[in-house]
Amino acid sequence: MPKTPKYQDLTKFRVSRGFRGRNGMVVQLWWLCQATLFALSPQPFYGWRAALLRLFGAQVGQNVKIRQSARFTYPWKVKIGDHSWIGDRAELYSLVEIEIGAHCCISQDCYISTSGHDYRKLSFDYTPAKVVIDDEVWLASGVFVFPGCQIGQGAVVGARSLVTRDVDEATIVAGTPARPIGKRELNNAE
């Protein structure tokens, strides 16, 4: 006999009209393109992958290097500044906007999340919030960024860290949750 849900009833979950930002056909076309033309492209075809993202509405700067195993939920909600890198298996869960500045390094296996769920509601609604990563940020391997976080210019986030709140400019953070462990000095050396 089926039980009546007390904490979350997924049959009540709904995505509001227009939430995806494009109609269902465009969403499916992007996911097909991402699984084939994007993911199967040779590693050095950075321009090709940037062009595909732009075709679907992403704002991608000049000389951006995106690995073919990176994934974008809705590219039309993503902005990436000039000379930035998006590493292997990086996931940009762009249910709402993700802004990545110039000269950023988003290393392999990073996950940038723009939504969770409201566990207090039986309908388990989305809780979307924009993520902003300012210029010259380095997210080392396996970093998870929570919805709504802003990472300040020049910040460094250590490998496998969990960013649950904003990170100040030029601050080095690490851990779960990420905590300040140092400051980044200006680097004028060639």
Side-chain angles (χ1 to χ4, degrees):
M1 170 173 14
K3 294 181 181 179
T4 302
K6 296 191 305 185
Y7 300 104
Q8 64 193 39
D9 182 349
L10 299 183
T11 65
K12 295 185 180 303
F13 176 80
R14 299 287 182 267
V15 175
S16 62
R17 187 173 181 83
F19 178 79
R20 291 182 176 92
R22 300 286 190 275
N23 70 43
M25 195 66 139
V26 173
V27 171
Q28 293 303 315
L29 184 60
W30 163 246
W31 288 343
L32 178 65
C33 179
Q34 181 170 235
T36 56
L37 299 173
F38 191 95
L40 299 175
S41 63
Q43 188 269 328
F45 280 35
Y46 300 115
W48 168 253
R49 289 186 291 277
L52 288 174
L53 287 167
R54 287 184 193 111
L55 181 66
F56 280 90
Q59 295 178 47
V60 180
Q62 297 301 305
N63 199 32
V64 171
K65 294 187 175 176
I66 301 168
R67 299 299 287 243
Q68 67 271 40
S69 58
R71 295 180 42 83
F72 300 80
T73 305
Y74 304 136
W76 44 90
K77 295 184 179 190
V78 173
K79 181 178 181 181
I80 304 170
D82 295 342
H83 310 290
S84 287
W85 303 342
I86 310 294
D88 282 312
R89 298 170 307 281
E91 182 88 22
L92 278 71
Y93 189 57
S94 52
L95 297 187
V96 294
E97 294 80 14
I98 294 174
E99 289 184 12
I100 297 171
H103 298 278
C104 288
C105 178
I106 310 301
S107 297
Q108 64 273 16
D109 299 311
C110 286
Y111 197 106
I112 301 171
S113 180
T114 60
S115 189
H117 292 275
D118 189 346
Y119 65 88
R120 297 165 298 191
K121 291 188 176 182
L122 192 61
S123 57
F124 208 53
D125 296 344
Y126 279 138
T127 55
K130 177 180 179 174
V131 171
V132 176
I133 298 171
D134 291 334
D135 295 344
E136 303 172 72
V137 168
W138 176 24
L139 301 184
S141 300
V143 167
F144 186 99
V145 178
F146 262 58
C149 289
Q150 180 165 357
I151 301 176
Q153 181 177 2
V156 175
V157 181
R160 300 286 182 228
S161 293
L162 181 67
V163 178
T164 60
R165 58 182 164 212
D166 292 352
V167 176
D168 291 335
E169 181 175 333
T171 301
I172 302 168
V173 299
T176 303
R179 299 198 186 287
I181 60 170
K183 289 297 271 183
R184 190 173 189 185
E185 300 298 322
L186 291 176
N187 184 358
N188 295 319
E190 286 298 315

